[in-house]
Amino acid sequence: MRLTMIGAGYVGLVSGACFADFGHVVTCVDNNDDRIRGLEAGEMPIYEPGLDRIVASNVAENRLRFTTDLATSVAEAEAVFIAVGTPSRRGDGHADLTYVHAAARLIAQSLDGFTVIVTKSTVPVGTGDQIEAIIREERPDAEFAVVSNPEFLREGAAIDDFKRPNRIVVGTTDPRAREVMQEVYRPLYLNQAPLLFTDRRTAELVKYAANAFLATKITFINEIADLCERVGADVQDVARGIGLDNRIGPKFLHPGPGFGGSCFPKDTLALIRTAEEAGADLRIVSAVSDINQIRKAGMAARVIEALGGSAEGRTVAVLGLTFKPNTDDMREAPSLSLIPRLQEAGATVRAFDPQGMKPAMPMLPGVTFARDPYDCATGADALVIVTEWESFRALDLARIGDVMKQPLMVDFRNIYPPAEVHSHGFVYRSVGRPRLDRGEAVS
Protein backbone atom coordinates (compact mmCIF):
# COMPACT_ATOMS: atom_id res chain seq x y z
CA MET A 1 0.00 0.00 0.00
CA ARG A 2 1.01 3.63 -0.47
CA LEU A 3 0.95 5.47 2.85
CA THR A 4 1.75 9.07 3.72
CA MET A 5 2.80 10.21 7.17
CA ILE A 6 2.26 13.91 7.95
CA GLY A 7 4.92 14.76 10.52
CA ALA A 8 8.40 13.25 10.77
CA GLY A 9 8.75 13.61 14.52
CA TYR A 10 8.78 10.80 17.04
CA VAL A 11 5.45 9.14 16.21
CA GLY A 12 5.53 9.84 12.49
CA LEU A 13 9.10 8.72 11.91
CA VAL A 14 8.87 5.52 13.95
CA SER A 15 5.48 4.61 12.49
CA GLY A 16 6.54 5.42 8.93
CA ALA A 17 9.77 3.43 9.20
CA CYS A 18 7.99 0.41 10.67
CA PHE A 19 5.19 0.49 8.07
CA ALA A 20 7.90 0.57 5.38
CA ASP A 21 9.60 -2.38 7.07
CA PHE A 22 6.29 -4.25 6.72
CA GLY A 23 6.54 -3.75 2.95
CA HIS A 24 4.34 -0.68 2.46
CA VAL A 25 5.61 2.28 0.43
CA VAL A 26 5.75 5.21 2.84
CA THR A 27 6.33 8.92 2.38
CA CYS A 28 7.08 10.99 5.48
CA VAL A 29 6.19 14.66 5.01
CA ASP A 30 7.39 17.48 7.22
CA ASN A 31 7.46 21.26 6.77
CA ASN A 32 10.85 21.47 8.52
CA ASP A 33 13.36 21.68 5.66
CA ASP A 34 16.34 21.00 7.93
CA ARG A 35 14.74 17.87 9.35
CA ILE A 36 13.95 16.50 5.89
CA ARG A 37 17.46 17.23 4.63
CA GLY A 38 18.91 15.54 7.68
CA LEU A 39 16.74 12.45 7.21
CA GLU A 40 17.71 12.24 3.56
CA ALA A 41 21.34 12.29 4.74
CA GLY A 42 20.64 9.54 7.27
CA GLU A 43 20.63 11.80 10.33
CA MET A 44 17.96 10.94 12.92
CA PRO A 45 16.24 13.91 14.61
CA ILE A 46 15.56 11.75 17.68
CA TYR A 47 17.36 8.97 19.52
CA GLU A 48 15.49 5.69 19.40
CA PRO A 49 17.43 2.39 19.52
CA GLY A 50 17.48 0.69 16.11
CA LEU A 51 15.60 3.42 14.27
CA ASP A 52 18.57 4.53 12.17
CA ARG A 53 19.06 0.99 10.84
CA ILE A 54 15.40 0.53 9.87
CA VAL A 55 15.29 3.93 8.18
CA ALA A 56 18.49 3.27 6.23
CA SER A 57 17.44 -0.18 5.02
CA ASN A 58 14.01 0.95 3.84
CA VAL A 59 15.36 4.05 2.12
CA ALA A 60 17.78 1.76 0.29
CA GLU A 61 14.86 -0.48 -0.76
CA ASN A 62 12.88 2.55 -2.01
CA ARG A 63 10.06 1.87 0.44
CA LEU A 64 10.67 5.00 2.54
CA ARG A 65 11.28 8.58 1.45
CA PHE A 66 11.17 12.04 2.97
CA THR A 67 9.81 15.23 1.47
CA THR A 68 8.27 18.62 2.14
CA ASP A 69 5.85 18.13 -0.80
CA LEU A 70 2.59 17.36 0.99
CA ALA A 71 0.29 17.80 -2.01
CA THR A 72 1.83 15.10 -4.21
CA SER A 73 2.29 12.71 -1.29
CA VAL A 74 -1.37 12.98 -0.24
CA ALA A 75 -2.70 12.65 -3.78
CA GLU A 76 -0.79 9.37 -4.27
CA ALA A 77 -1.72 7.79 -0.91
CA GLU A 78 -4.41 5.28 -0.02
CA ALA A 79 -4.12 6.27 3.65
CA VAL A 80 -2.77 9.50 5.10
CA PHE A 81 -1.66 9.52 8.75
CA ILE A 82 -1.68 12.73 10.80
CA ALA A 83 1.23 12.48 13.25
CA VAL A 84 1.86 16.09 14.24
CA GLY A 85 2.41 17.47 17.72
CA THR A 86 -0.41 18.21 20.16
CA PRO A 87 1.36 20.03 23.01
CA SER A 88 -0.44 21.36 26.06
CA ARG A 89 -1.93 24.74 25.34
CA ARG A 90 -0.45 27.48 27.45
CA GLY A 91 -2.68 28.72 30.20
CA ASP A 92 -5.34 26.01 30.34
CA GLY A 93 -3.73 22.61 29.69
CA HIS A 94 -5.97 21.71 26.74
CA ALA A 95 -4.33 19.87 23.87
CA ASP A 96 -3.29 22.39 21.23
CA LEU A 97 -4.81 21.17 17.94
CA THR A 98 -3.38 23.95 15.78
CA TYR A 99 -1.10 21.58 13.85
CA VAL A 100 -3.80 18.92 13.49
CA HIS A 101 -6.30 21.39 12.04
CA ALA A 102 -3.67 22.86 9.72
CA ALA A 103 -2.77 19.38 8.47
CA ALA A 104 -6.45 18.62 7.82
CA ARG A 105 -6.81 21.73 5.64
CA LEU A 106 -3.69 20.91 3.64
CA ILE A 107 -4.78 17.29 3.18
CA ALA A 108 -8.21 18.40 1.95
CA GLN A 109 -6.71 20.44 -0.86
CA SER A 110 -4.83 17.43 -2.27
CA LEU A 111 -7.21 14.49 -1.96
CA ASP A 112 -7.61 12.42 -5.12
CA GLY A 113 -10.03 9.51 -4.92
CA PHE A 114 -11.21 7.71 -1.78
CA THR A 115 -8.63 8.21 0.97
CA VAL A 116 -8.55 7.14 4.60
CA ILE A 117 -7.28 9.91 6.87
CA VAL A 118 -5.89 8.44 10.06
CA THR A 119 -5.24 10.38 13.26
CA LYS A 120 -2.09 9.03 14.92
CA SER A 121 -1.55 12.13 17.04
CA THR A 122 -2.89 11.97 20.59
CA VAL A 123 -6.04 14.08 20.44
CA PRO A 124 -9.08 14.76 22.66
CA VAL A 125 -12.42 13.10 22.12
CA GLY A 126 -14.23 14.68 19.19
CA THR A 127 -11.13 15.71 17.22
CA GLY A 128 -11.98 13.28 14.43
CA ASP A 129 -15.31 15.05 14.05
CA GLN A 130 -13.47 18.38 13.75
CA ILE A 131 -11.09 16.99 11.12
CA GLU A 132 -14.00 15.63 9.12
CA ALA A 133 -15.82 18.97 9.29
CA ILE A 134 -12.72 20.88 8.16
CA ILE A 135 -12.17 18.61 5.17
CA ARG A 136 -15.82 18.69 4.15
CA GLU A 137 -15.78 22.47 4.33
CA GLU A 138 -12.62 22.65 2.21
CA ARG A 139 -13.60 19.93 -0.24
CA PRO A 140 -17.31 19.08 -0.32
CA ASP A 141 -16.66 16.79 -3.30
CA ALA A 142 -13.94 14.68 -1.65
CA GLU A 143 -14.32 10.98 -0.91
CA PHE A 144 -12.70 10.15 2.41
CA ALA A 145 -13.12 8.64 5.86
CA VAL A 146 -11.52 9.91 9.07
CA VAL A 147 -10.21 7.18 11.38
CA SER A 148 -8.69 7.27 14.86
CA ASN A 149 -5.68 4.99 15.31
CA PRO A 150 -3.87 6.02 18.51
CA GLU A 151 -0.26 5.03 19.08
CA PHE A 152 0.97 3.17 22.16
CA LEU A 153 4.73 3.48 21.72
CA ARG A 154 7.14 3.57 24.63
CA GLU A 155 10.15 5.74 23.99
CA GLY A 156 13.21 3.53 24.02
CA ALA A 157 11.20 0.47 22.94
CA ALA A 158 9.06 1.98 20.18
CA ILE A 159 10.09 -0.32 17.33
CA ASP A 160 9.33 -3.47 19.29
CA ASP A 161 6.06 -1.96 20.48
CA PHE A 162 5.04 -1.16 16.91
CA LYS A 163 5.95 -4.57 15.53
CA ARG A 164 4.69 -6.63 18.47
CA PRO A 165 1.80 -4.56 19.83
CA ASN A 166 -0.43 -5.52 22.73
CA ARG A 167 -3.34 -4.13 20.74
CA ILE A 168 -4.16 -2.01 17.71
CA VAL A 169 -7.13 0.28 18.24
CA VAL A 170 -8.96 1.54 15.16
CA GLY A 171 -11.89 3.91 15.48
CA THR A 172 -14.20 3.85 12.47
CA THR A 173 -17.67 2.72 11.47
CA ASP A 174 -16.99 3.13 7.74
CA PRO A 175 -16.74 -0.31 6.05
CA ARG A 176 -14.34 0.91 3.35
CA ALA A 177 -12.05 2.49 5.95
CA ARG A 178 -12.14 -0.69 8.02
CA GLU A 179 -11.02 -2.70 4.99
CA VAL A 180 -8.14 -0.31 4.33
CA MET A 181 -6.98 -0.41 7.95
CA GLN A 182 -7.08 -4.20 8.00
CA GLU A 183 -4.81 -4.19 4.97
CA VAL A 184 -2.48 -1.63 6.57
CA TYR A 185 -1.96 -3.91 9.57
CA ARG A 186 -2.22 -7.23 7.74
CA PRO A 187 1.57 -7.86 8.06
CA LEU A 188 1.04 -8.23 11.82
CA TYR A 189 -1.37 -11.13 11.29
CA LEU A 190 1.30 -13.74 12.05
CA ASN A 191 1.96 -12.04 15.39
CA GLN A 192 -1.76 -12.36 16.14
CA ALA A 193 -1.90 -8.75 17.24
CA PRO A 194 -5.41 -8.00 18.52
CA LEU A 195 -7.08 -5.52 16.18
CA LEU A 196 -9.83 -3.76 18.12
CA PHE A 197 -12.38 -1.83 16.06
CA THR A 198 -14.49 0.75 17.86
CA ASP A 199 -16.26 3.96 16.98
CA ARG A 200 -14.01 6.98 16.51
CA ARG A 201 -14.69 8.76 19.80
CA THR A 202 -14.08 5.59 21.80
CA ALA A 203 -10.71 5.07 20.13
CA GLU A 204 -9.72 8.65 20.92
CA LEU A 205 -10.57 8.13 24.58
CA VAL A 206 -8.73 4.79 24.84
CA LYS A 207 -5.37 6.52 24.45
CA TYR A 208 -5.99 9.10 27.17
CA ALA A 209 -7.54 6.56 29.52
CA ALA A 210 -4.59 4.19 29.12
CA ASN A 211 -2.00 6.86 29.87
CA ALA A 212 -4.00 8.21 32.81
CA PHE A 213 -4.25 4.73 34.30
CA LEU A 214 -0.51 4.08 33.97
CA ALA A 215 0.25 7.50 35.47
CA THR A 216 -2.07 6.60 38.35
CA LYS A 217 -0.21 3.35 38.93
CA ILE A 218 3.12 5.18 39.10
CA THR A 219 1.73 7.77 41.49
CA PHE A 220 0.22 5.08 43.68
CA ILE A 221 3.52 3.26 44.19
CA ASN A 222 5.30 6.58 44.79
CA GLU A 223 2.90 7.34 47.63
CA ILE A 224 3.34 3.82 49.02
CA ALA A 225 7.11 4.43 48.89
CA ASP A 226 6.65 7.53 51.04
CA LEU A 227 4.67 5.46 53.54
CA CYS A 228 7.36 2.76 53.54
CA GLU A 229 9.95 5.34 54.53
CA ARG A 230 7.80 6.41 57.48
CA VAL A 231 7.05 2.92 58.80
CA GLY A 232 10.34 1.15 57.99
CA ALA A 233 9.07 -1.10 55.17
CA ASP A 234 10.73 -1.81 51.80
CA VAL A 235 8.75 -0.61 48.80
CA GLN A 236 10.59 -2.96 46.44
CA ASP A 237 9.19 -5.94 48.31
CA VAL A 238 5.77 -4.31 48.64
CA ALA A 239 5.68 -3.75 44.87
CA ARG A 240 6.77 -7.30 44.23
CA GLY A 241 4.16 -8.62 46.63
CA ILE A 242 1.26 -6.79 45.04
CA GLY A 243 2.57 -7.16 41.49
CA LEU A 244 2.41 -10.95 41.72
CA ASP A 245 -1.35 -10.56 41.87
CA ASN A 246 -2.44 -11.05 38.25
CA ARG A 247 -5.17 -8.48 38.71
CA ILE A 248 -2.51 -5.83 39.41
CA GLY A 249 0.63 -6.95 37.57
CA PRO A 250 4.23 -5.81 38.15
CA LYS A 251 4.60 -3.13 35.48
CA PHE A 252 4.69 0.56 36.41
CA LEU A 253 5.17 -0.29 40.07
CA HIS A 254 8.64 1.23 40.23
CA PRO A 255 8.90 4.20 42.58
CA GLY A 256 10.92 7.20 41.56
CA PRO A 257 11.06 10.98 41.25
CA GLY A 258 7.76 11.29 39.35
CA PHE A 259 6.72 10.66 35.76
CA GLY A 260 7.72 12.87 32.84
CA GLY A 261 8.01 12.65 29.08
CA SER A 262 5.87 13.74 26.18
CA CYS A 263 2.77 11.74 27.09
CA PHE A 264 1.77 11.21 30.72
CA PRO A 265 1.95 14.82 32.02
CA LYS A 266 0.35 16.29 28.89
CA ASP A 267 -2.28 13.60 28.42
CA THR A 268 -3.49 13.47 32.02
CA LEU A 269 -3.95 17.24 31.94
CA ALA A 270 -5.76 17.14 28.59
CA LEU A 271 -8.07 14.38 29.86
CA ILE A 272 -8.90 16.46 32.93
CA ARG A 273 -9.78 19.46 30.74
CA THR A 274 -11.89 17.29 28.42
CA ALA A 275 -13.78 15.93 31.43
CA GLU A 276 -14.35 19.43 32.79
CA GLU A 277 -15.88 20.52 29.49
CA ALA A 278 -18.11 17.44 29.49
CA GLY A 279 -19.22 18.04 33.08
CA ALA A 280 -17.48 14.92 34.44
CA ASP A 281 -15.31 14.99 37.58
CA LEU A 282 -12.08 13.00 37.24
CA ARG A 283 -10.93 13.40 40.81
CA ILE A 284 -8.44 10.52 40.73
CA VAL A 285 -6.72 11.74 37.57
CA SER A 286 -6.69 15.32 38.86
CA ALA A 287 -5.01 14.16 42.07
CA VAL A 288 -2.45 12.15 40.07
CA SER A 289 -1.46 15.22 38.05
CA ASP A 290 -1.16 17.44 41.13
CA ILE A 291 0.75 14.88 43.20
CA ASN A 292 3.25 14.25 40.41
CA GLN A 293 4.13 17.93 40.13
CA ILE A 294 4.59 18.17 43.89
CA ARG A 295 6.76 15.06 43.90
CA LYS A 296 9.14 16.29 41.21
CA ALA A 297 9.45 19.63 42.97
CA GLY A 298 10.27 17.86 46.26
CA MET A 299 13.21 15.77 45.04
CA ALA A 300 15.74 18.54 45.67
CA ALA A 301 14.70 18.68 49.31
CA ARG A 302 15.58 14.99 49.65
CA VAL A 303 19.07 15.62 48.33
CA ILE A 304 19.54 18.64 50.59
CA GLU A 305 18.38 16.63 53.60
CA ALA A 306 20.92 13.91 52.74
CA LEU A 307 23.60 16.60 52.62
CA GLY A 308 22.81 17.50 56.21
CA GLY A 309 20.25 20.21 55.55
CA SER A 310 22.27 22.60 53.38
CA ALA A 311 23.49 22.51 49.78
CA GLU A 312 25.38 25.80 50.01
CA GLY A 313 28.85 25.39 48.55
CA ARG A 314 28.30 21.69 47.84
CA THR A 315 28.87 19.89 44.54
CA VAL A 316 26.13 17.50 43.41
CA ALA A 317 26.74 14.96 40.64
CA VAL A 318 23.60 14.05 38.70
CA LEU A 319 23.53 10.88 36.63
CA GLY A 320 20.70 10.92 34.09
CA LEU A 321 18.88 13.90 32.61
CA THR A 322 16.28 12.44 30.25
CA PHE A 323 12.88 11.46 31.60
CA LYS A 324 13.66 7.77 31.01
CA PRO A 325 16.53 5.69 29.58
CA ASN A 326 17.06 4.92 25.88
CA THR A 327 15.81 8.30 24.69
CA ASP A 328 17.11 11.84 24.36
CA ASP A 329 13.71 13.29 25.34
CA MET A 330 13.92 15.97 28.00
CA ARG A 331 10.23 16.88 28.06
CA GLU A 332 8.94 17.13 31.64
CA ALA A 333 12.04 15.28 32.87
CA PRO A 334 12.42 15.20 36.68
CA SER A 335 15.95 16.57 36.28
CA LEU A 336 14.44 19.86 35.08
CA SER A 337 12.77 20.28 38.46
CA LEU A 338 15.62 18.89 40.55
CA ILE A 339 18.66 20.72 39.20
CA PRO A 340 17.44 24.35 39.26
CA ARG A 341 16.26 23.91 42.86
CA LEU A 342 19.65 22.55 43.87
CA GLN A 343 21.29 25.52 42.20
CA GLU A 344 18.93 27.92 43.98
CA ALA A 345 19.98 26.26 47.25
CA GLY A 346 23.62 27.10 46.50
CA ALA A 347 24.84 23.83 44.99
CA THR A 348 27.16 23.44 42.03
CA VAL A 349 25.79 20.76 39.70
CA ARG A 350 27.72 18.43 37.44
CA ALA A 351 25.73 16.10 35.17
CA PHE A 352 26.14 13.22 32.76
CA ASP A 353 23.65 11.48 30.46
CA PRO A 354 24.48 9.10 27.60
CA GLN A 355 22.08 10.81 25.17
CA GLY A 356 20.46 13.78 26.86
CA MET A 357 23.24 16.32 27.37
CA LYS A 358 22.92 18.09 24.02
CA PRO A 359 19.17 18.83 24.36
CA ALA A 360 19.62 19.56 28.08
CA MET A 361 22.32 22.21 27.71
CA PRO A 362 20.04 25.15 26.80
CA MET A 363 17.55 24.06 29.48
CA LEU A 364 20.04 23.84 32.35
CA PRO A 365 22.32 26.89 32.42
CA GLY A 366 25.18 26.79 34.89
CA VAL A 367 25.50 23.00 34.86
CA THR A 368 28.87 21.44 34.07
CA PHE A 369 28.44 18.47 31.71
CA ALA A 370 30.83 15.60 32.31
CA ARG A 371 32.55 13.05 30.04
CA ASP A 372 31.34 9.98 31.91
CA PRO A 373 29.93 8.96 35.32
CA TYR A 374 33.34 8.98 37.00
CA ASP A 375 34.23 12.42 35.70
CA CYS A 376 30.81 13.55 36.90
CA ALA A 377 31.38 12.17 40.41
CA THR A 378 34.87 13.65 40.84
CA GLY A 379 34.91 16.03 43.81
CA ALA A 380 31.18 15.65 44.44
CA ASP A 381 29.54 15.74 47.87
CA ALA A 382 26.59 13.67 46.60
CA LEU A 383 25.89 11.40 43.65
CA VAL A 384 22.23 11.46 42.55
CA ILE A 385 20.85 8.84 40.15
CA VAL A 386 17.87 10.33 38.32
CA THR A 387 17.55 8.15 35.19
CA GLU A 388 18.10 4.39 35.20
CA TRP A 389 20.35 4.02 32.15
CA GLU A 390 21.81 0.53 31.89
CA SER A 391 25.34 1.97 31.94
CA PHE A 392 24.64 3.28 35.46
CA ARG A 393 23.62 -0.12 36.83
CA ALA A 394 27.10 -1.58 37.26
CA LEU A 395 29.30 1.34 38.25
CA ASP A 396 32.60 0.64 39.98
CA LEU A 397 31.44 1.85 43.40
CA ALA A 398 34.91 1.69 44.90
CA ARG A 399 36.20 3.97 42.15
CA ILE A 400 33.20 6.29 42.53
CA GLY A 401 33.80 6.51 46.27
CA ASP A 402 37.47 7.28 45.77
CA VAL A 403 36.87 10.25 43.46
CA MET A 404 34.04 11.79 45.47
CA LYS A 405 34.61 14.33 48.22
CA GLN A 406 32.36 12.22 50.41
CA PRO A 407 30.63 8.92 49.54
CA LEU A 408 26.92 9.81 49.52
CA MET A 409 24.50 8.28 47.01
CA VAL A 410 20.89 9.35 46.49
CA ASP A 411 19.36 6.65 44.29
CA PHE A 412 16.01 7.92 43.01
CA ARG A 413 15.54 4.80 40.85
CA ASN A 414 16.48 2.13 43.42
CA ILE A 415 18.85 0.45 40.96
CA TYR A 416 21.38 -0.61 43.62
CA PRO A 417 20.89 -3.03 46.51
CA PRO A 418 21.38 -0.97 49.69
CA ALA A 419 23.77 -3.54 51.18
CA GLU A 420 26.07 -3.38 48.13
CA VAL A 421 26.33 0.41 48.24
CA HIS A 422 26.76 0.41 52.01
CA SER A 423 29.55 -2.16 51.81
CA HIS A 424 31.61 0.39 49.88
CA GLY A 425 31.28 2.91 52.68
CA PHE A 426 28.51 5.03 51.20
CA VAL A 427 25.76 6.84 52.98
CA TYR A 428 22.75 5.65 51.01
CA ARG A 429 19.36 7.19 50.35
CA SER A 430 16.76 5.68 48.05
CA VAL A 431 13.00 5.82 47.51
CA GLY A 432 10.87 3.79 49.89
CA ARG A 433 13.72 1.69 51.26
CA PRO A 434 15.67 1.85 54.53
CA ARG A 435 18.30 4.60 54.63
CA LEU A 436 21.82 3.62 55.56
CA ASP A 437 24.55 5.73 57.15
CA ARG A 438 28.19 4.74 57.49
CA GLY A 439 28.82 2.44 60.41
CA GLU A 440 25.28 1.08 60.51
CA ALA A 441 24.71 -2.64 60.30
CA VAL A 442 22.75 -3.96 57.32
CA SER A 443 19.80 -6.11 58.36
Side-chain angles (χ1 to χ4, degrees):
M1 297 184 72
R2 299 191 72 87
L3 309 178
T4 290
M5 195 70 57
I6 309 297
Y10 188 86
V11 173
L13 184 56
V14 171
S15 300
C18 288
F19 276 138
D21 218 37
F22 289 165
H24 298 307
V25 178
V26 180
T27 301
C28 286
V29 182
D30 202 287
N31 61 6
N32 186 323
D33 290 332
D34 291 339
R35 174 170 292 183
I36 292 300
R37 281 195 295 268
L39 285 166
E40 289 177 330
E43 300 169 2
M44 297 301 102
I46 58 171
Y47 175 74
E48 178 65 33
L51 181 61
D52 54 349
R53 294 191 298 274
I54 289 183
V55 168
S57 65
N58 283 284
V59 167
E61 294 292 334
N62 295 316
R63 290 194 299 263
L64 180 63
R65 72 184 188 97
F66 305 99
T67 183
T68 57
D69 181 3
L70 183 144
T72 302
S73 304
V74 168
E76 295 175 346
E78 297 165 77
V80 177
F81 289 77
I82 298 175
V84 297
T86 55
S88 289
R89 198 165 64 193
R90 287 187 178 183
D92 60 11
H94 284 280
D96 187 343
L97 299 178
T98 301
Y99 303 121
V100 173
H101 292 165
R105 289 189 177 88
L106 292 171
I107 290 167
Q109 296 165 14
S110 305
L111 291 173
D112 184 8
F114 178 72
T115 308
V116 177
I117 299 157
V118 188
T119 309
K120 265 288 180 194
S121 302
T122 301
V123 295
V125 176
T127 302
D129 299 348
Q130 297 172 20
I131 293 171
E132 183 173 339
I134 288 170
I135 295 174
R136 292 209 182 281
E137 181 182 349
E138 297 279 336
R139 284 284 304 280
D141 62 314
E143 282 191 278
F144 68 95
V146 177
V147 171
S148 174
N149 177 216
E151 55 85 15
F152 302 99
L153 306 178
R154 296 169 298 161
E155 292 189 43
I159 292 170
D160 192 62
D161 285 348
F162 198 98
K163 293 189 171 186
R164 297 168 185 82
N166 294 319
R167 79 288 203 195
I168 301 164
V169 178
V170 178
T172 184
T173 54
D174 185 299
R176 289 187 296 176
R178 179 176 178 135
E179 186 176 327
V180 168
M181 295 303 292
Q182 284 177 322
E183 185 63 19
V184 167
Y185 284 106
R186 185 182 59 78
L188 288 174
Y189 173 76
L190 292 177
N191 290 341
Q192 297 182 328
L195 192 56
L196 172 64
F197 283 95
T198 72
D199 63 85
R200 196 163 59 201
R201 285 185 166 231
T202 299
E204 290 169 339
L205 186 55
V206 165
K207 169 68 174 182
Y208 278 115
N211 280 353
F213 185 83
L214 295 175
T216 301
K217 205 171 179 183
I218 293 169
T219 303
F220 171 82
I221 201 62
N222 281 341
E223 290 205 317
I224 293 298
D226 290 345
L227 177 59
C228 286
E229 292 176 8
R230 297 293 184 92
V231 301
D234 189 324
V235 71
Q236 299 291 93
D237 291 334
V238 172
R240 192 172 297 113
I242 63 177
L244 289 170
D245 187 328
N246 291 333
R247 296 169 300 175
I248 298 173
K251 293 184 178 180
F252 288 84
L253 289 179
H254 304 289
F259 58 79
S262 62
C263 293
F264 288 2
K266 171 177 71 72
D267 292 353
T268 52
L269 192 55
L271 182 61
I272 292 164
R273 297 295 177 257
T274 297
E276 288 173 349
E277 286 188 346
D281 190 4
L282 297 186
R283 285 179 289 176
I284 291 175
V285 182
S286 295
V288 165
S289 181
D290 292 342
I291 292 167
N292 190 61
Q293 291 302 317
I294 293 168
R295 184 171 193 81
K296 287 196 289 187
M299 289 298 107
R302 290 175 175 246
V303 176
I304 294 168
E305 186 275 334
L307 286 167
S310 174
E312 187 67 42
R314 303 296 189 92
T315 298
V316 178
V318 173
L319 293 185
L321 297 169
T322 56
F323 87 96
K324 64 179 292 187
N326 296 324
T327 181
D328 59 355
D329 198 339
M330 288 294 300
R331 285 174 287 186
E332 299 286 341
S335 63
L336 297 178
S337 294
L338 170 71
I339 290 174
R341 285 177 170 83
L342 290 174
Q343 291 172 317
E344 290 169 5
T348 298
V349 178
R350 298 170 59 85
F352 174 76
D353 188 285
Q355 294 293 334
M357 291 194 290
K358 183 176 179 180
M361 284 178 182
M363 303 179 186
L364 295 170
V367 172
T368 299
F369 294 92
R371 296 187 307 272
D372 56 45
Y374 303 98
D375 178 42
C376 187
T378 299
D381 295 281
L383 180 73
V384 184
I385 299 175
V386 180
T387 312
E388 65 277 31
W389 285 91
E390 286 187 4
S391 58
F392 298 161
R393 293 176 180 270
L395 296 172
D396 183 338
L397 295 180
R399 180 180 171 189
I400 289 284
D402 286 343
V403 300
M404 290 183 68
K405 189 178 296 183
Q406 61 176 1
L408 165 62
M409 179 185 288
V410 182
D411 182 1
F412 283 141
R413 297 295 183 175
N414 290 2
I415 64 176
Y416 281 97
E420 178 184 353
V421 182
H422 190 258
S423 70
H424 286 86
F426 278 81
V427 173
Y428 182 69
R429 299 287 185 268
S430 59
V431 179
R433 297 193 296 187
R435 58 177 57 192
L436 292 173
D437 293 315
R438 283 191 297 277
E440 291 182 338
V442 179
S443 59

